[in-house]
Amino acid sequence: MELKETIDKLGRAFEEFKTQNDKRLDNIEQGKGIADIEANLEKLNSDLDELGGLKDRLEKAEIALAKRRQFVSDDQVDRKSAIAEFKDLLATGNDETRRKYNDQARENGIDLKAINIGTGADGGFAVPEVIEQTILDLVRDFSPMREVATVRTISTSDYKELHNIGGTSSGWVGETAARPETNSPQLAEVAPPIGEIYAEPQATQVSLEDLFFDVEGWINSEIADEFALQEGASFISGTGTNQPEGLLTGAAPVATADATRAYGTLQYVPSGAAAAVNSGDALIDVVYTPKRAYRRNAAWQANRATLATIRKLKDGDGDYLWAPGLANGEPATLLGYRVVENEDMPDIAADAFPLAFGDWARGYMILDRVGISMLRDPYTNKPFIKFYTRKRVGGIKRDTNAIKLLKVATS
């Protein structure tokens, strides 16, 4: 299905959704049954999810195709050569090729001290840059948090960031009056927790020797899928021990405003509805709780089930709060701000935080420890060869004034 056709279908589906939901609201006012209407809305919600996802994929495919067309040049020869050598390394564990990639890794600042590369039997090597970049691009596409958060590549695990937590004071004085000393700004040192994420796809020795399938594509998809699933969950609920610290872990969110809330703690806005988000007023409160500077690049995050509920909400003028993106490159919006669908966000439930809003680039940081490494294991599961692939990833909340949460009231 072409992009334009998908956008047209998305628009028609949303109009039908609004018609059915308006009928549901009328029936509720009149005391009539709504079971059939709810069933229609559930199907339409599913259609909106499917069409919205298809639109995103088609847009990304167009971008990827444009990049591929730009990439077809003299550099393509070097890329094919690198992939061919990598396939040879996967198939044979060739020591010479392995040494080349290990040398390349050291030149790029990749720390291989923790990888067994002493003998041919150990089979450790660094993934070539062209394939590593493809894996990272795929992970970025699959991981919603990576779309909006700050992402940095670091060369050491001993990374620290200084945060300004305020404290500066000032005062008015006359022309000749004394200037008493004022308070200085305070800095807090933050050390993001970094953990190791891994995948272990495998293939038969014969398949790798004959190379009758797309080895590069297989490696990319297997590793990207596993990394994305693990990372995505950790960026929301990671413990901070041997893995990133998630958005919803650490200090418990409170309702206290920015000026008096403890540093490093998120603020929530109560929904005012028991075990349901059924009022647009709370969402409007969330939007206008962060300072204006944070709203400029703000976006929502919520899972699909939450968005299915949000789509039914209207403002005081009867306008729907959620709207699909009905142009190429235009995202779905909630109260005019981009919506990022993230299945790792909690469902709507009493005391849960199903919606988050704010400037994610300022509010959350992801750290990639440079380099992806691989260990080739042809021994433990003959005739299969395992490819134990590892990468180190960290994450932590940054400016906690930048992100606000919606908390569902206790039932």
Side-chain angles (χ1 to χ4, degrees):
M1 186 182 297
E2 293 185 358
L3 180 57
K4 184 179 183 305
E5 182 184 355
T6 301
I7 292 174
D8 290 342
K9 286 189 173 183
L10 181 61
R12 291 195 296 271
F14 186 51
E15 290 302 317
E16 178 61 21
F17 177 87
K18 291 191 291 185
T19 298
Q20 291 293 319
N21 193 51
D22 290 343
K23 185 178 179 181
R24 179 184 70 90
L25 296 174
D26 290 340
N27 280 14
I28 291 174
E29 287 186 5
Q30 299 171 26
K32 296 180 180 179
I34 60 171
D36 291 344
I37 299 175
E38 288 283 9
N40 290 337
L41 285 173
E42 185 175 348
K43 182 182 183 306
L44 287 167
N45 250 324
S46 179
D47 291 343
L48 288 170
D49 287 334
E50 183 178 343
L51 289 168
L54 178 58
K55 173 178 175 283
D56 289 343
R57 292 192 296 274
L58 289 172
E59 287 172 345
K60 289 174 181 177
E62 285 192 352
I63 294 172
L65 181 59
K67 287 181 179 179
R68 183 177 293 274
R69 285 170 177 164
Q70 288 180 342
F71 196 67
V72 176
S73 63
D74 292 340
D75 293 337
Q76 187 78 353
V77 176
D78 295 334
R79 183 175 188 275
K80 288 181 178 179
S81 175
I83 292 172
E85 290 178 351
F86 186 54
K87 288 181 177 179
D88 176 62
L89 185 56
L90 293 177
T92 66
N94 181 278
D95 285 343
E96 182 179 351
T97 308
R98 183 186 305 114
R99 281 194 296 270
K100 173 182 176 180
Y101 283 123
N102 286 330
D103 291 342
Q104 181 188 72
R106 293 189 187 94
E107 291 173 1
N108 291 330
I110 300 172
D111 182 9
L112 295 175
K113 289 185 291 184
I115 307 171
N116 290 326
I117 58 174
T119 66
D122 292 325
F125 52 87
V127 175
E129 183 178 351
V130 290
I131 295 180
E132 177 179 329
Q133 189 57 51
T134 302
I135 293 171
L136 294 179
D137 286 344
L138 287 170
V139 170
R140 187 180 302 113
D141 287 343
F142 297 155
S143 177
M145 187 68 89
R146 282 184 175 272
E147 294 182 24
V148 289
T150 290
V151 181
R152 291 181 179 168
T153 300
I154 58 174
S155 58
T156 174
S157 58
D158 189 28
Y159 177 88
K160 294 179 175 64
E161 185 174 74
L162 290 177
H163 290 183
N164 180 5
I165 60 175
T168 303
S169 62
S170 61
W172 296 97
V173 293
E175 181 180 356
T176 59
R179 268 69 173 172
E181 181 178 320
T182 61
N183 294 331
S184 300
Q186 296 179 322
L187 297 176
E189 186 178 76
V190 175
I194 295 177
E196 183 175 312
I197 187 170
Y198 77 96
E200 195 172 51
Q202 60 182 6
T204 65
Q205 178 72 59
V206 171
S207 70
L208 291 173
E209 289 171 347
D210 294 347
L211 298 176
F212 61 81
F213 67 101
D214 181 5
V215 177
E216 180 200 3
W218 164 70
I219 290 287
N220 291 345
S221 62
E222 287 292 310
I223 295 173
D225 284 352
E226 181 61 24
F227 282 10
L229 287 172
Q230 295 289 341
E231 284 187 0
S234 71
F235 296 150
I236 298 299
S237 57
T239 63
T241 301
N242 298 324
Q243 60 182 268
E245 179 186 284
L247 175 74
L248 300 180
T249 51
V254 296
T256 312
D258 292 353
T260 55
R261 191 173 67 258
Y263 172 75
T265 304
L266 290 172
Q267 180 184 3
Y268 70 78
V269 175
S271 72
V277 180
N278 58 11
S279 169
D281 293 342
L283 303 185
I284 294 172
D285 289 342
V286 173
V287 168
Y288 288 100
T289 297
K291 296 176 181 177
R292 179 181 178 182
Y294 297 124
R295 296 199 303 270
R296 191 174 298 122
N297 298 308
W300 296 90
Q301 288 203 46
N303 69 26
R304 183 170 56 181
T306 298
L307 293 177
T309 298
I310 295 299
R311 287 192 184 111
K312 300 175 183 176
L313 301 183
K314 297 183 179 182
D315 61 20
D317 296 324
D319 296 323
Y320 281 85
L321 305 184
W322 182 88
L326 297 180
N328 191 353
E330 181 181 292
T333 59
L334 176 60
L335 290 169
Y337 291 92
R338 178 187 176 189
V339 177
V340 177
E341 185 177 317
N342 188 340
E343 287 305 308
D344 294 302
M345 289 290 291
D347 289 332
I348 296 172
D351 293 322
F353 301 98
L355 276 161
F357 172 82
D359 186 335
W360 295 93
R362 297 176 68 170
Y364 195 86
M365 177 170 60
I366 297 169
L367 297 173
D368 288 324
R369 178 72 169 83
V370 65
I372 295 176
S373 62
M374 186 177 288
L375 187 68
R376 184 182 187 277
D377 175 12
Y379 304 110
T380 59
N381 191 26
K382 299 185 183 80
F384 293 94
I385 295 179
K386 294 182 178 181
F387 298 97
Y388 173 64
T389 309
R390 56 188 289 274
K391 179 180 182 291
R392 295 165 70 189
V393 181
I396 196 169
K397 295 185 286 290
R398 300 179 75 200
D399 184 350
T400 48
N401 293 335
I403 306 294
K404 305 299 178 184
L405 305 173
L406 179 75
K407 181 179 181 180
V408 180
T410 303
S411 58

